[in-house]
Amino acid sequence: MTEKIFSLPVVNQISPYLSQRQIGELPVIVVNHPKVRAAITLQGAQLIAWQPNDEKPVIWLSEKTAFNHGKAIRGGVPICWPWFGPAGQPAHGFARNQPWTLSAHDENNDNVLLTLVLESNEQTKALWPHDFTLIARFRLGEHCEIELEAHGEYQATCALHSYFNVADIQQVEVSGLGPHFIDKVKGGEQGTSADGKQRYAGQVDRIYTQPEDCSLIHDKSGQRVLEVYHHYHSDVVTWNPGVELSCSMGDMANDGFQTMVCVETARINAPMKSAPEQPARLATTFRLRKKRQIT
């Protein structure tokens, strides 16, 4: 799927390393830089690819997702805002279904910086009665940094719903999640973890409420470790649909669950609070651990 994105025809060459292309019905900003390849759809300001030079793709994207106006993209890093989960309609909020504007870009020898903006409009006010400006910033290079900044006067729940590529979910362990979780598969039942680690023998959907500032995705079959840093967060969500749910989802292949894991930086149990002159923030950083550091 990643190769398909980078082979799309160029609609507009924005700068030496940036071009606008079209995937399905959606415009996508493609980064082709000596140190990184990446892509962000203007709908949802959604990162759908990040691949440092000489590395395999890091971000998982469903081969069956439809790139249609107003329809959520399955994979990448959806921005779930201003609510998480089924707290309103559409599920996970409207930010990921709205068209954003590329407002600024910059590039140097190490990375590319992109800024996208979404402002309240008639559609959003019909769903949520607040004025707001959302700013999403991306720094894409050997590391990937995403920051969401929310201006206005309200509170909101939010997640950077990151999907990561793994070789075999049965051989994946995520550490640094902390001792306490809410188990959504079991109807919100409270649970504890002695070691702050999560493995994926079946469907997993948990909100860890006392996480460390960094989660490690140990992809044993893929022979790599991904560091996921959480900033301004209160929770970390981890999700894998398992075989039954994967088979029931129209935008995921039946075996899609085998090669992905979600580890999400979130503000759920302690909502983001935006005030005049004091925007709320949520941010994450992805780093691949060098092979010599993996034991």
Side-chain angles (χ1 to χ4, degrees), residues 130-145:
H130 296 282
D131 291 308
F132 67 84
T133 300
L134 275 188
I135 302 170
R137 298 186 182 91
F138 299 83
R139 184 189 300 269
L140 303 165
E142 290 183 356
H143 307 146
C144 173
E145 302 173 25

Side-chain angles (χ1 to χ4, degrees), residues 194-212:
D195 57 6
K197 296 178 179 178
Q198 181 67 60
R199 299 161 195 87
Y200 302 84
Q203 183 183 355
V204 170
D205 191 355
R206 291 179 173 180
I207 303 170
Y208 280 85
T209 58
Q210 297 168 345
E212 297 177 22

Side-chain angles (χ1 to χ4, degrees), residues 141-163:
E142 290 183 356
H143 307 146
C144 173
E145 302 173 25
I146 305 172
E147 182 183 57
L148 183 69
E149 186 176 281
H151 293 257
E153 189 168 8
Y154 47 80
Q155 68 176 32
T157 55
C158 179
L160 300 170
H161 194 315
S162 312
Y163 290 73

